[in-house]
Amino acid sequence: MNIKDDIKNAVEVMKRGGVILYPTDTVWGIGCDATNAEAVARVYKIKQRDDSKALICLVDSDVRLQRYVRNVPEVAWDIMELSTKPTTVILDDAVNLAPNLIAPDGSIAMRITREAFSKELCYRFQKPIVSTSVNISGKPAAQNYRDISPELLEAVDYVCFARRQEHKPHTPSSIIRLQKDGKVEIIRD
């Protein structure tokens, strides 16, 4: 399957409220429409994860990020621009997202992806996409397609074809929390 059709299929599934598995700029991700509370609830259920633990969202651009976070601090742009590896930033004042995706304190974990497939997927979908590692909560993340358990492959509505043959090490993103008072906290390096 070509990449254009793969992305089109994934977008159609998410528009219908479905859940997908897809390669990202880090490990393989479980994804859905970040504005659809029912789809987000399904992701929590598939991962067997407590919904009090936040999920990451991917976007394709700084413009899109600003539609879902009320006030992005200047330091966030510097961190994302200067990072040498994929970096997720936890920002306050999330808006226009599924309520069960936003942390109790009003924050959301967002990352602008630069990897070709996930960036194009986000661009074509025109909304943030949930991006949580493909694994049961507490188990190792699937770095490559071949690491994904049959249980998880069967739990979703669509599995992307892109990068299925790839076999190389991938690591989760760095996570940095930016507080309203300007404090920067490294959650995961």
Side-chain angles (χ1 to χ4, degrees), residues 73 75 177-185:
V75 69
R177 171 80 162 110
L178 299 179
Q179 305 283 355
K180 284 183 183 176
D181 62 5
K183 182 180 168 193
V184 176
E185 179 185 1

Side-chain angles (χ1 to χ4, degrees), residues 86-122:
T87 301
T88 300
V89 181
I90 300 172
L91 300 162
D92 290 322
D93 299 324
V95 293
N96 306 318
L97 295 165
N100 54 343
L101 192 57
I102 300 171
D105 66 0
S107 67
I108 187 70
M110 300 285 277
R111 183 167 75 249
I112 299 172
T113 180
R114 295 183 182 120
E115 182 271 331
F117 183 84
S118 56
K119 185 175 183 76
E120 185 70 11
L121 182 65
C122 290

Side-chain angles (χ1 to χ4, degrees), residues 13-159:
V13 167
M14 289 188 292
K15 282 182 178 178
R16 292 191 309 264
V19 176
I20 66 169
L21 298 184
Y22 67 110
T24 74
D25 52 344
T26 60
V27 297
W28 268 70
I30 300 176
C32 71
D33 178 349
T35 66
N36 182 324
E38 288 179 19
V40 170
R42 255 190 83 204
V43 170
Y44 279 116
K45 185 177 179 184
I46 290 167
K47 281 188 68 80
Q48 300 173 25
R49 183 174 179 160
D50 183 356
D51 65 6
S52 67
K53 292 186 176 182
L55 300 173
I56 293 170
C57 293
L58 285 187
V59 291
D60 63 317
S61 66
D62 54 354
V63 171
R64 185 121 28 237
L65 174 70
Q66 291 178 82
R67 292 181 191 163
Y68 298 95
V69 176
R70 197 170 273 120
N71 296 301
V72 180
E74 276 305 311
V75 69
W77 302 119
D78 294 339
I79 289 169
M80 289 183 280
E81 184 179 321
L82 300 172
S83 296
T84 56
K85 69 180 264 191
T87 301
T88 300
V89 181
I90 300 172
L91 300 162
D92 290 322
D93 299 324
V95 293
N96 306 318
L97 295 165
N100 54 343
L101 192 57
I102 300 171
D105 66 0
S107 67
I108 187 70
M110 300 285 277
R111 183 167 75 249
I112 299 172
T113 180
R114 295 183 182 120
E115 182 271 331
F117 183 84
S118 56
K119 185 175 183 76
E120 185 70 11
L121 182 65
C122 290
Y123 174 74
R124 295 286 171 204
F125 190 57
Q126 295 286 298
K127 295 184 206 177
I129 299 173
V130 166
S131 182
T132 183
S133 58
V134 178
N135 62 316
I136 301 297
S137 192
K139 304 278 188 201
Q143 293 182 37
N144 296 283
Y145 172 77
R146 72 187 219 172
D147 302 326
I148 302 171
S149 73
E151 172 188 9
L152 292 173
L153 290 169
E154 293 167 13
V156 300
D157 304 300
Y158 185 75
V159 181

